[in-house]
Amino acid sequence: MATDVVDLILADHRRFEELFRELRDRSADRAARLGELAALLVAHAEAEESEVYPALKRYKKVDNDEVDHGEEEHAEGHQALLALMEVTDPETEEWESKLEELVEALNHHVDEEERTLLNDAREQVADDRRTELGKAFAEARQALLDDDCGDLEYVRRIARATADRID
């Protein structure tokens, strides 16, 4: 199992892509896939913000504006996730539209984060420190998953709490 924080984050990003493919499949159990996506997305974002982003801000060659922008994009993702979760019928055009809004927001964030923050982290942060951050990220992420962070009420709370980050 990977322990480097960059590898762990990238693995989650790839899982998001897999879940998006499954959510687009009308024959799939969309409710189950959405539940899995919601939990993973919230746990991932919250663990990054509590364990990874603050550490990256301490490195001189990691752009603090990019870290702040990542938090802003997490807030946008929470809003888009909530909008999708509040559509009750996954067979409607509204559901499809909200799914595509979430996919677009998340793909944009993943692309930027991989090109900026994660490349900077791989280049500027020592291997042993990335391993320490990976352990902290994985533990925080698992604690959130254990707390059912993908529950609709949890997503509503986090969307409200982070709404002021969106420009």
Side-chain angles (χ1 to χ4, degrees):
M1 179 179 187
T3 56
D4 182 307
V5 70
V6 173
D7 294 335
L8 292 171
I9 291 170
L10 290 172
D12 279 357
H13 289 177
R14 300 298 77 82
R15 182 64 185 142
F16 295 148
E17 293 165 356
E18 291 169 10
L19 287 166
F20 286 149
R21 281 190 291 278
E22 293 173 25
L23 283 164
R24 285 177 168 142
D25 179 355
R26 291 178 186 251
S27 67
D29 182 350
R30 288 174 151 183
R33 294 294 72 78
L34 181 56
E36 183 181 346
L37 175 67
L40 182 58
L41 183 56
V42 170
H44 174 94
E46 292 291 286
E48 276 187 339
E49 289 183 24
S50 68
E51 303 300 329
V52 181
Y53 285 4
L56 291 180
K57 281 187 168 186
R58 292 191 288 271
Y59 285 87
K60 292 178 185 168
K61 297 200 179 190
V62 173
D63 187 339
N64 286 348
D65 290 338
E66 289 296 337
V67 176
D68 293 339
H69 185 65
E71 290 177 353
E72 202 176 288
E73 289 180 341
H74 284 170
E76 291 169 358
H78 296 321
Q79 297 296 321
L81 174 62
L82 178 59
L84 177 59
M85 291 177 77
E86 289 183 331
V87 178
T88 56
D89 184 356
E91 301 303 318
T92 64
E93 283 304 312
E94 179 185 18
W95 198 92
E96 297 286 343
S97 174
K98 297 298 181 190
L99 172 61
E100 290 312 311
E101 288 173 20
L102 176 59
V103 168
E104 185 177 316
L106 206 60
N107 282 344
H108 171 81
H109 170 69
V110 163
D111 178 59
E112 276 191 0
E113 186 175 73
E114 289 181 7
R115 285 185 296 109
T116 59
L117 287 179
L118 297 183
N119 279 339
D120 287 350
R122 199 177 297 278
E123 293 171 9
Q124 303 301 327
V125 180
D127 292 352
D128 60 334
R129 182 64 178 129
R130 288 198 321 269
T131 298
E132 289 172 14
L133 286 172
K135 184 175 188 272
F137 170 78
E139 288 174 0
R141 182 178 162 278
Q142 189 59 53
L144 286 155
L145 289 169
D146 291 345
D147 285 344
D148 198 21
C149 65
D151 170 76
L152 180 59
E153 287 308 313
Y154 192 101
V155 174
R156 282 183 177 139
R157 279 194 311 275
I158 199 163
R160 278 193 303 269
T162 61
D164 63 332
R165 295 185 195 165
I166 301 171
D167 286 337

